[in-house]
Amino acid sequence: MASTSQPLRGKRTCKKIFWAVFPHACFILSLVIYAFLGALMFSHIEGNRKVNLSEEYRKFLQNLWHISRNLSENEEIFKEKIHALLNTAERDWFVNPKDIWTFFGSLFFCCTVFTTVGYGNTYPVTRIGKYLCMLYALFGIPLMFLVLTDMGDILATVLSKSYNEFRKLQSKILASKLCSGSTCNKGDELKSRTQSKVVINESLTIMEVLKSQAGVKKKPTKYRNAEIFEMLIARENEHTKPARNKSIERWSSCPELARGKTMSRVIENFDKIGKQLEKLDVPIVLMVLVIFVYISCAAAILPNWETRLDFQEAFYFCFITLTTIGFGDTQLEHPKFFLFFSLYIIIGMEIVFIAFKLGQDRLIGLYKRVISFCGEKKMPSKKVYPK
């Protein structure tokens, strides 16, 4: 029996892991498929368009020929004429669409669309391409935000657990340094006393609970009320635990019931998206440090294939990308290599989003404190009239 139960437990744990990872994999896979479909669409529409030489292009060539004939003019006047003429030029006159709208170039364009970066180096020219770009962004941007929210839960869980473990380790180190024999014993007694006060297993009335806690009477009113409140919450939580459905446990071997239970768990995982991100509370300085290290790592790797960029230019490019500003002043020579950084971009955008959210929460708290402080200052003091 033991030998047969172990494979069954292994299968159940594998199924649990699979259904727990399933929502996250669905979102990421949907985004990847959406990006590939968009790349195929735009490479076909924009890459195969016909380049018609307009009358403006012919006028541009004529003016350029006239200016080049008058090289004997003053150098400053010649530069001004050339500069004014080049400002009227369009990039499509000198570029082959098939060189820009390759599959990887189109994929890079799609990533800049649904991430809302929008460098501006590559853009649709045809009317059909512009309409499809608007439609593509209309569905792609919410999908991207859904992936960011989903991955934000994972990052928030990792950050909060890491920060809590660091705080626990820090408190243990400080306690080991400051703790002496007598104080440690007092701390252990206090800890055991508080644990016995909070946990209430028996169904008692409020008066019985208070009578059983003799130490409550000896403390000041403020701390006594706090302990009473904690005990009431613990008792309420103990009685409001959902009762386990014994019929489902008894018939869990039934495939239909097991499948329904699994589907309900998967739906619960979908409903929990964004909950961990709302609970995250870490110092904003820690998030700024994480962003700096994260961008610095990419800035150190990116110049290996983008030789025109040094560390500072690469750091600037990564910051502009992750904050979705996207000026377009820095152009990549090899966008296909940067596509391998797509996961880096998504995770980095999520880290920046978490930092912005924490900063927003801190600003809201600051505004609340300022308004409450100003309200207390402006409140008229109560006058006590003699009887």
Side-chain angles (χ1 to χ4, degrees), residues 75-92:
E75 185 178 355
E76 294 296 330
I77 298 174
F78 179 75
K79 286 183 179 179
E80 289 178 1
K81 289 182 178 180
I82 287 293
H83 188 267
L85 183 62
L86 292 177
N87 286 333
T88 61
E90 296 182 6
R91 191 188 63 166
D92 297 332

Side-chain angles (χ1 to χ4, degrees), residues 185-237:
N185 293 331
K186 290 180 181 178
D188 294 337
E189 290 176 2
L190 182 62
K191 185 177 179 181
S192 62
R193 191 180 299 169
T194 54
Q195 286 179 354
S196 64
K197 289 176 183 178
V198 172
V199 179
I200 302 173
N201 293 325
E202 297 179 358
S203 179
L204 303 175
T205 62
I206 297 174
M207 296 303 298
E208 290 175 350
V209 170
L210 296 179
K211 288 179 181 179
S212 63
Q213 306 295 328
V216 175
K217 301 177 182 179
K218 300 177 183 179
K219 294 189 177 181
T221 306
K222 180 179 179 181
Y223 298 100
R224 191 169 60 203
N225 292 337
E227 289 187 1
I228 293 171
F229 184 69
E230 289 180 358
M231 286 187 289
L232 291 175
I233 290 176
R235 184 168 178 267
E236 184 69 20
N237 292 334

Side-chain angles (χ1 to χ4, degrees), residues 27 30-31 34-35 109-118 132-149 324 349:
F27 296 144
S30 300
L31 187 65
Y34 194 74
F109 167 75
C110 292
C111 292
T112 60
V113 170
F114 56 68
T115 56
T116 68
V117 175
L132 289 176
C133 181
M134 290 188 288
L135 190 64
Y136 186 80
L138 190 63
F139 291 96
I141 293 173
L143 180 60
M144 181 66 191
F145 284 165
L146 184 61
V147 173
L148 289 179
T149 307
T324 68
M349 288 177 63

Side-chain angles (χ1 to χ4, degrees), residues 12-273:
R12 289 175 182 174
T13 53
C14 290
K15 286 182 178 179
K16 287 181 180 179
I17 294 172
F18 172 77
W19 290 115
V21 178
F22 181 73
H24 313 293
C26 278
F27 296 144
I28 295 174
L29 186 62
S30 300
L31 187 65
V32 171
I33 294 173
Y34 194 74
F36 274 85
L37 291 176
L40 291 173
M41 179 179 64
F42 286 109
S43 62
H44 176 72
I45 294 173
E46 295 293 331
N48 296 327
R49 64 183 174 86
K50 294 180 181 180
V51 180
N52 296 323
L53 298 178
S54 60
E55 188 65 25
E56 295 178 356
Y57 177 68
R58 293 186 178 90
K59 289 181 180 179
F60 173 81
L61 292 179
Q62 289 176 2
N63 293 330
L64 183 62
W65 183 70
H66 286 303
I67 293 173
S68 61
R69 287 182 62 186
N70 299 325
L71 293 175
S72 59
E73 293 181 350
N74 189 6
E75 185 178 355
E76 294 296 330
I77 298 174
F78 179 75
K79 286 183 179 179
E80 289 178 1
K81 289 182 178 180
I82 287 293
H83 188 267
L85 183 62
L86 292 177
N87 286 333
T88 61
E90 296 182 6
R91 191 188 63 166
D92 297 332
W93 295 345
F94 314 102
V95 177
N96 187 7
K98 291 184 178 180
D99 296 336
I100 299 177
W101 294 98
T102 59
F103 178 77
F104 286 104
S106 303
L107 188 60
F108 183 73
F109 167 75
C110 292
C111 292
T112 60
V113 170
F114 56 68
T115 56
T116 68
V117 175
Y119 291 119
N121 301 326
T122 306
Y123 49 86
V125 178
T126 62
R127 185 168 295 180
I128 299 175
K130 291 178 180 179
Y131 290 152
L132 289 176
C133 181
M134 290 188 288
L135 190 64
Y136 186 80
L138 190 63
F139 291 96
I141 293 173
L143 180 60
M144 181 66 191
F145 284 165
L146 184 61
V147 173
L148 289 179
T149 307
D150 180 55
M151 295 194 69
D153 286 341
I154 300 173
L155 289 175
T157 304
V158 172
L159 286 172
S160 60
K161 286 185 178 180
S162 301
Y163 181 70
N164 291 333
E165 291 297 327
F166 174 75
R167 292 296 300 272
K168 287 180 182 178
L169 181 62
Q170 187 180 15
S171 62
K172 285 181 181 179
I173 293 173
L174 292 175
S176 62
K177 288 182 179 180
L178 300 175
C179 184
S180 60
S182 59
T183 55
C184 287
N185 293 331
K186 290 180 181 178
D188 294 337
E189 290 176 2
L190 182 62
K191 185 177 179 181
S192 62
R193 191 180 299 169
T194 54
Q195 286 179 354
S196 64
K197 289 176 183 178
V198 172
V199 179
I200 302 173
N201 293 325
E202 297 179 358
S203 179
L204 303 175
T205 62
I206 297 174
M207 296 303 298
E208 290 175 350
V209 170
L210 296 179
K211 288 179 181 179
S212 63
Q213 306 295 328
V216 175
K217 301 177 182 179
K218 300 177 183 179
K219 294 189 177 181
T221 306
K222 180 179 179 181
Y223 298 100
R224 191 169 60 203
N225 292 337
E227 289 187 1
I228 293 171
F229 184 69
E230 289 180 358
M231 286 187 289
L232 291 175
I233 290 176
R235 184 168 178 267
E236 184 69 20
N237 292 334
E238 186 68 26
H239 288 285
T240 55
K241 283 184 179 179
R244 302 180 67 181
N245 196 343
K246 296 182 179 180
S247 61
I248 294 179
E249 291 181 355
R250 189 179 301 170
W251 300 100
S252 59
S253 59
C254 182
E256 288 79 7
L257 291 177
R259 193 179 298 112
K261 192 175 182 180
T262 305
M263 289 297 106
S264 64
R265 287 179 179 175
V266 173
I267 294 172
E268 287 178 0
N269 290 332
F270 279 101
D271 293 334
K272 292 178 182 178
I273 294 173

Side-chain angles (χ1 to χ4, degrees), residues 318-332:
C318 293
F319 180 83
I320 293 299
T321 301
L322 297 183
T323 53
T324 68
I325 297 173
F327 288 126
D329 53 346
T330 303
Q331 296 184 5
L332 299 179

